[in-house]
Amino acid sequence: MRLPDIGRFGRRFAVILSGELIQSLFHFVLNIVLVRELGAHGYGLFAIVFTIGAVGVTYIRALVAVPATLFLARSLGRPAERGHDMVFGSGATAVALLMAAAVSVGLAPVLGVTALAGGAFVGLYAFRSYLRIVLLARRAPWVAGASDMVYSACGLALVVFLHAGDDALLEHAFLGIAAAHAAGIAVALAAIGRPVRVSFRASVRRRYLEIWRTLAWSLLGVTGTTVQGQGLTLLFALLAGPAAYAPIAATLVLFAPLRIPTNALNNMVLPEISALLAAGRRREARRLVVRSTALIGLACLAYGVAMWTALPIIERHLFNGRFASEPMAAIGFGVWCVVTIALLYAIPRAFLEASAAFRVIAAGALVSAGIGFLIMVPLLLTLAPPFALIGLAVSECVTALWSAKAFRDRSRHPDGRVREAADRFAAGTSAPAAAA
């Protein structure tokens, strides 16, 4: 990567990182407030719904955001760009609405009317995630950063309201986060000066069907990845119960700062890798992945050492001694292992996504999910809940090794399928878009 490219990449990364930092700060403060104000059961329910929201983000990313990035990276400034807006904007709207409805219905027996607030949160969370990734693919990091700032500011106002005392704390938390996401979406759309173009007419459906084989493997891949990651975590929470899951969920929040630069970096490098591969610059794409992964590894090591010494103080003061009877040191080490391994394969997997290697991602995720399930469930049924973290860690190890091997193979041998798929799709959208 040349010096001017490094400077441009660094400026964009700084903008996105600042947005990730402030919204992650909001999530951290919100979780600390809820840990202190809600009981273990109530906070466990909140953590479970938040995990469901993360699952929704992975699905909308696979079905809409990643394909949009692959095609937008090749069509910026061309008539085909408008066609992509219509196709993927419609897809994102449909997927977000379906998620909101499914979550509301699924949570109704447990949360009652509060399930509607939880569904709204999940749907808007997913749609804003799609919008952020598309803005990065459009080379509009400032707009994505402004959306993050507005979302976080509205969210921090919610925290102040909740901290003042609230009888319906859980319901108002979900409603407040949903409203904050809606505000962030509105600001992003106003800044780019165009609404989300939604249409479900036959031509839009036909264009989506043209890439359905790729999306089908992407869907299978994200299903496997979800089962392997958030799915196993949800199974953990359901089998152990919200109260037993609460200390692990709270510790996961403490390691969320590790995900901030990783998410920002991942969102930045995906369109960069897509553009490099589309231009045939495979060696530069490989170098970008290796350097980014090394940087993440160093950050995880330094953060783990710092957290190891600070965890007892955090449990005593921030968590108000709520988990004094839990083996927090062992939980902290287990969570650090799980999070670190998961972050180490984030950028190589972005390379595989940009290479349209969804079949490889799906196979690896399903294998690792099966291994994690076989280890975790017996541990949950026979030992204390923290021991089940071993199953999660082994599952992440399998995924990391699988991703590393697939990345090595794909980065050494050219694969023209991404370029061919993008050319076919662009040919199908450019003419109608130009006519519009």
Side-chain angles (χ1 to χ4, degrees), residues 57-124:
V57 167
T58 61
Y59 269 94
I60 205 166
R61 185 175 185 273
L63 284 173
V64 188
V66 170
T69 298
L70 296 181
F71 296 118
L72 283 172
R74 290 179 52 82
S75 63
L76 289 178
R78 301 177 186 175
E81 183 183 354
R82 296 180 62 192
H84 300 327
D85 277 344
M86 174 74 78
V87 173
F88 294 116
S90 302
T93 302
V95 173
L97 289 174
L98 287 173
M99 286 179 183
V103 169
S104 298
V105 172
L107 292 177
V110 180
L111 298 178
V113 179
T114 305
L116 295 174
F121 152 65
V122 171
L124 289 167

Side-chain angles (χ1 to χ4, degrees), residues 271-334:
E272 294 288 336
I273 292 172
S274 299
L276 288 172
L277 291 179
R281 297 160 64 185
R282 191 163 36 91
R283 183 176 298 177
E284 292 182 38
R286 184 174 189 272
R287 190 182 304 124
L288 179 60
V289 172
V290 171
R291 290 177 178 177
S292 300
T293 302
L295 198 61
I296 290 171
L298 291 174
C300 288
L301 181 61
Y303 191 87
V305 172
M307 189 55 64
W308 183 260
T309 59
L311 192 58
I313 301 172
I314 292 172
E315 196 284 324
R316 212 167 34 245
H317 296 287
L318 282 183
F319 295 161
N320 205 25
R322 189 177 294 277
F323 307 124
S325 60
E326 301 289 341
M328 294 303 289
I331 291 174
F333 179 74

Side-chain angles (χ1 to χ4, degrees), residues 282 286 351 403-414:
R282 191 163 36 91
R286 184 174 189 272
F351 180 94
S403 300
K405 182 181 183 304
F407 163 69
R408 184 192 63 185
D409 295 341
R410 293 271 170 164
S411 62
R412 290 179 177 177
H413 304 289

Side-chain angles (χ1 to χ4, degrees), residues 6 17 44 82 84 94 128 155 173 187 199 212 222 304 346 357-358 368 374 413 415 424:
I6 294 174
L17 180 58
R82 296 180 62 192
H84 300 327
R128 198 174 78 85
V187 166
S199 173
W212 177 246
V222 78
F358 299 114
S368 58
L374 290 175
H413 304 289
D415 190 340
R424 286 197 305 270

